[in-house]
Amino acid sequence: MTTDTFEKEILPLKHPIFRFALFMLKNNDDAQDVTQEVVIKIWEKREELDQVRNIRAWAITITRNKCLDLIKSR
């Protein structure tokens, strides 16, 4: 995946990822942190994204897992 493709396909998912994280965590700062972690994780896995059928669903699943990890750690 090129940088241009990442910007066109993944970066628009930042807003739904953030909204979902905010819904789960009820804290703006934590939701922003989780959003950043998820986008970084997707960037690190960009070479494997052709195997993912629904990138949006995959990103939301990662977000959910990160939020649950954060909630557990409290």
Side-chain angles (χ1 to χ4, degrees):
M1 174 176 280
T2 65
T3 305
D4 291 335
T5 307
F6 187 84
E7 288 177 2
K8 289 177 186 173
E9 293 181 17
I10 305 304
L11 290 185
L13 296 177
K14 281 189 334 184
H15 301 292
I17 290 168
F18 173 75
R19 285 192 309 269
F20 184 68
L22 186 60
F23 168 77
M24 287 195 68
L25 299 172
K26 309 290 191 247
N27 182 300
N28 193 45
D29 293 335
D30 289 342
Q32 287 177 353
D33 290 344
V34 166
T35 301
Q36 184 174 2
E37 289 177 26
V38 170
V39 172
I40 290 170
K41 182 167 183 133
I42 294 171
W43 174 254
E44 291 171 349
K45 300 283 186 178
R46 69 188 177 277
E47 298 302 324
E48 301 167 21
L49 287 180
D50 58 336
Q51 299 171 6
V52 177
R53 289 185 186 179
N54 187 337
I55 293 174
R56 182 185 176 108
W58 182 66
I60 294 297
T61 300
I62 295 170
T63 305
R64 185 195 71 215
N65 292 340
K66 295 263 184 203
C67 289
L68 291 174
D69 289 345
L70 185 62
I71 291 168
K72 287 179 193 175
S73 71
R74 291 184 181 161

